[in-house]
Amino acid sequence: STMVHYKLYYFPSRSVAEPVRQMFAYAGIEYEDVRITKEEWLAEWKNKMTFDQVPVLEVDGKQIPQSLAIGRFVAKQYGFYGKTPFEAAWIDAIADQFKDYWVALAPWFYVHMGYAEGDVEAAKAKCAGPARDMLFPHLQKLLKENKSGFLIGDQVSWIDFMIQEHVTVLEEEFPGYLKDYPELFVHAAKIRALPAIKAWIEKRPVSRG
Amino acid sequence: SMLRYKLIYFPIRGRGEVARQLFYLAGVPFKDDRITISEWSSLKAKTPFGQLPVLEVDGHQLAQSFAIFRYLAQEFGFAGDSPLEALWVDVTADQHKEYENKIKPALRFQGSEEEKEQLMRNVAEPARDKYFPLLEKIAEEHGSSGHFVGASLTWVDLLIAEHASILLKQFPGFLDRYPTVLAIVDAILSTPKLKEWLEKRPDTAF
């Protein structure tokens, strides 16, 4: 059989690339995990990337941008996209809701992480609550209703990896932010404990977020 | 007999229109449930994410406009003719959404002429000039016969054409630098079955 050759290009962090790395780890798919520093990005890599953006997944030499499109493509290929079209649609809905939440959280998150200048307390007062309300009550409800312990259906999916990664960052950077949503921590621990993911976490490069 | 599908949204085109177009193009009947603000306030807590649009399929709810569009498109054959085409439809839609988020403050802005000028210069034009060259590139590399991706109509064609209609109504000439995009939008809006819908749909400002 012909093996597909994958290269994943991103910065040296987890963030929006990590769900793809975790799907590859879980499915046992080999790929080149290319990590580009900020200096390298500006000096040479931005021009090499098809839309001047990362992440990019290169599939047999063809570049694909946009983290959600990449994630869905990999999820479909390797069985992380639910068992029915309706489950797949729910997975898509959560991915999009997560992105909307992320856009709402970003002003605070970026200042906190030092990616942007600003008043972190003012940003927190403005963003933290409204952002959280967009996403976590709904995820909590899904986890309470789904006996499997996964977000959608009875097997691990793309958005389990996506949400777990972000909850991990929240635990590290904003302890207490999700204190009313303990189900999210149970879920994150469950995903991190999956043998292939546990092994990946132990060997992956360490980064802050 | 019971309709399988119900689309719940406000009485505007907004984030519901592409779904309505997909139903019409597919010839699939659906309940076009256009609700009032007061109906919404009692329905909101019963929806998956407290937002509209919501699609009900045999009574089961689905939220998030792109998830709804992609689901219907796949059911009805408007999601691209191969996994790679479907992928590039998704890439284009996500790139479009990022652009729309950036240009939103300039659209339907009610303020002074000076503020409008500033928004045009500082927000609308940069957002346009970052996105539309990428869209041209996508169309060149992945689209044909008057489509952005692939050789037949997809949900991202509908998404972009609807947006372009609104955009050009407010800012005529705004896309003059992007004639290939304009040509594709024209081709999409000339699709006979879509033209039928455009002529008979409820008339709303946006």
Side-chain angles (χ1 to χ4, degrees):
Chain A
S1 76
T2 324
M3 287 255 296
V4 179
H5 188 220
Y6 293 113
K7 272 193 205 178
L8 180 65
Y9 298 90
Y10 193 57
F11 299 121
S13 57
R14 304 192 308 272
S15 190
V16 294
E18 189 65 9
V20 176
R21 296 187 184 118
Q22 291 191 6
M23 284 191 284
F24 280 147
Y26 195 91
I29 303 298
E30 284 191 18
Y31 68 105
E32 270 184 70
D33 187 13
V34 181
R35 291 159 184 258
I36 303 165
T37 67
K38 194 154 180 220
E39 296 71 31
E40 289 169 333
W41 174 247
L42 294 169
E44 70 173 287
W45 281 94
K46 191 166 193 241
N47 294 334
K48 293 186 189 179
M49 294 289 104
T50 184
F51 281 15
D52 297 355
Q53 299 169 351
V54 279
V56 160
L57 181 67
E58 202 180 89
V59 182
D60 286 338
K62 302 252 170 76
Q63 290 189 16
I64 303 158
Q66 285 292 345
S67 63
L68 294 186
I70 292 167
R72 183 177 303 103
F73 179 75
V74 172
K76 272 194 226 182
Q77 296 288 106
Y78 298 109
F80 301 109
Y81 199 45
K83 284 183 175 158
T84 66
F86 204 72
E87 281 188 359
W90 259 90
I91 288 166
D92 288 340
I94 292 168
D96 275 348
Q97 194 69 11
F98 176 72
K99 188 165 185 187
D100 288 348
Y101 149 84
W102 172 251
V103 169
L105 188 78
W108 176 35
F109 190 83
Y110 283 0
V111 173
H112 170 91
M113 297 293 269
Y115 302 153
E117 300 282 310
D119 179 340
V120 72
E121 285 309 315
K124 179 182 179 180
K126 187 170 180 212
C127 300
R132 180 177 46 212
D133 290 346
M134 284 175 65
L135 181 69
F136 290 103
H138 312 304
L139 297 182
Q140 180 182 52
K141 181 163 187 264
L142 289 170
L143 288 172
K144 280 182 172 173
E145 288 172 355
N146 193 359
K147 303 281 185 291
S148 73
F150 300 111
L151 278 162
I152 295 295
D154 58 14
Q155 60 189 36
V156 72
S157 76
W158 169 34
I159 43 91
D160 287 310
F161 298 123
M162 187 189 293
I163 298 301
Q164 168 273 130
E165 165 53 33
H166 183 67
V167 168
T168 300
V169 172
L170 292 176
E171 284 174 310
E172 290 167 356
E173 298 292 336
F174 304 120
Y177 184 60
L178 292 184
K179 65 174 163 45
D180 294 336
Y181 304 98
E183 294 81 1
L184 274 299
F185 299 122
V186 172
H187 172 262
K190 177 187 173 81
I191 304 305
R192 289 195 295 253
L194 296 169
I197 300 304
K198 184 165 187 284
W200 165 245
I201 290 171
E202 276 158 19
K203 79 170 205 194
R204 73 185 173 192
V206 173
S207 62
R208 185 187 173 207
Chain B
S1 70
M2 283 288 289
L3 290 169
R4 279 200 73 199
Y5 298 101
K6 178 161 75 169
L7 182 75
I8 309 169
Y9 193 54
F10 299 114
I12 56 172
R13 300 198 304 281
R15 295 187 204 283
E17 180 63 9
V18 169
R20 296 182 183 122
Q21 291 182 4
L22 287 167
F23 281 118
Y24 194 79
L25 289 163
V28 173
F30 74 109
K31 185 161 203 306
D32 189 5
D33 198 8
R34 294 165 184 251
I35 66 171
T36 63
I37 297 288
S38 84
E39 284 170 325
W40 172 233
S41 60
S42 48
L43 180 65
K44 188 176 156 99
K46 301 178 199 163
T47 59
F49 298 153
Q51 293 169 348
L52 294 180
V54 163
L55 176 71
E56 276 186 16
V57 185
D58 299 326
H60 301 291
Q61 290 187 333
L62 175 65
Q64 275 288 350
S65 58
F66 279 17
I68 291 168
F69 302 162
R70 190 181 295 102
Y71 174 78
L72 294 174
Q74 267 158 8
E75 294 289 295
F76 303 152
F78 295 101
D81 293 329
S82 68
L84 213 55
E85 277 184 15
L87 167 63
W88 276 99
V89 168
D90 291 344
V91 170
T92 310
D94 282 348
Q95 201 69 36
H96 181 85
K97 187 189 264 190
E98 284 178 7
Y99 147 79
E100 262 207 67
N101 285 341
K102 290 209 187 90
I103 202 169
K104 206 156 53 164
L107 292 182
R108 293 192 278 125
F109 173 75
Q110 312 280 0
S112 70
E113 281 309 308
E114 197 190 316
E115 285 169 312
K116 283 186 190 175
E117 251 295 295
Q118 282 201 1
L119 274 177
M120 176 57 71
R121 244 193 343 267
N122 299 328
V123 173
E125 285 169 1
R128 172 193 65 192
D129 297 333
K130 178 159 197 258
Y131 168 57
F132 281 94
L134 300 180
L135 189 54
E136 282 185 328
K137 188 177 180 181
I138 289 169
E140 195 187 325
E141 290 177 6
H142 302 283
S144 63
S145 318
H147 302 287
F148 287 105
V149 176
S152 59
L153 197 63
T154 67
W155 65 274
V156 79
D157 284 336
L158 301 176
L159 183 77
I160 295 170
E162 169 60 25
H163 169 74
S165 310
I166 293 175
L167 183 69
L168 295 175
K169 208 164 171 186
Q170 183 172 355
F171 303 130
F174 189 67
L175 296 181
D176 282 352
R177 261 192 236 173
Y178 303 99
T180 28
V181 171
L182 288 173
I184 295 169
V185 167
D186 270 341
I188 293 161
L189 295 174
S190 306
T191 312
K193 196 94 208 251
L194 182 59
K195 267 186 86 167
E196 260 179 47
W197 169 255
L198 300 181
E199 276 152 26
K200 62 159 52 161
R201 71 183 173 189
D203 190 22
T204 60
F206 50 83

